[in-house]
Amino acid sequence: MGLRARHYWAFAGVLAASVIGAVVLSDGLPGLRFEEPGEAESSPVETFAIGVRGPIEVSGIRPYYDEEYQAHVRAFVANHSRTAQSVALAVLLRVREASQQAPPLATFEVLLSDPLPPNGGREVDVGLQTMGTLESLPPWDQLRVDLEVLAARGDQSL
């Protein structure tokens, strides 16, 4: 191949420059800088809007307008138990810091006629009642999802 010592030195120089460039850039870009374990900011996972009631979780809440400009919401309902669960819940969306007595900004109901299978889940698409427009809702990471039981049915009560 005819590689000489200068080729190895050139490769080592390019490699060193790349590593130095990565370290310099990572300090200025959020999420790419090196952090001490105690210095890390709170994880974005902790800010997801998730409601949990017993083994039932409601997450992935995505409000939208249909073709007739009616507010709807898509959400994922998960069963984290080893038994089938019937679901009849009112989902209340509040500002994260609001008290339990504060009126919700938006509400929807999750009524599943067929029980969720053990460790299963289902996406729902239902009407959304809001106090204002969807644009007036705070960003998803500032919402809290509260769940209230509408009815206890099936093997287990929620």
Side-chain angles (χ1 to χ4, degrees), residues 12-36:
V14 169
L15 182 62
S18 298
V19 169
I20 291 170
V23 169
V24 169
L25 284 177
S26 68
D27 190 39
L29 299 174
L32 293 179
R33 64 185 185 95
F34 297 110
E35 299 173 336
E36 294 296 321

Side-chain angles (χ1 to χ4, degrees), residues 35-121:
E35 299 173 336
E36 294 296 321
E39 176 185 317
E41 295 177 17
S42 64
S43 166
V45 173
E46 296 171 353
T47 64
F48 283 175
I50 296 174
V52 177
R53 179 81 178 208
I56 302 298
E57 172 188 320
V58 178
S59 61
I61 295 169
R62 301 170 314 280
Y64 71 97
Y65 287 114
D66 66 9
E67 306 81 35
E68 298 170 358
Y69 300 104
Q70 299 299 312
H72 282 258
V73 65
R74 288 187 185 104
F76 187 76
V77 182
N79 174 11
H80 294 289
S81 76
R82 294 182 182 184
T83 60
Q85 297 286 321
S86 295
V87 178
L89 295 170
V91 181
L92 306 126
L93 304 179
R94 292 186 172 100
V95 174
R96 183 170 294 282
E97 295 82 23
S99 75
Q100 289 290 93
Q101 291 75 33
L105 300 174
T107 63
F108 62 96
E109 291 183 354
V110 176
L111 301 168
L112 300 178
S113 57
D114 297 329
L116 281 176
N119 296 310

Side-chain angles (χ1 to χ4, degrees), residues 127-149:
L128 178 69
Q129 292 78 41
T130 65
M131 289 182 66
T133 64
L134 297 184
E135 291 79 14
S136 67
L137 291 175
W140 65 269
D141 63 341
Q142 295 175 15
L143 285 176
R144 183 180 77 232
V145 180
D146 294 325
L147 304 179
E148 292 182 358
V149 176

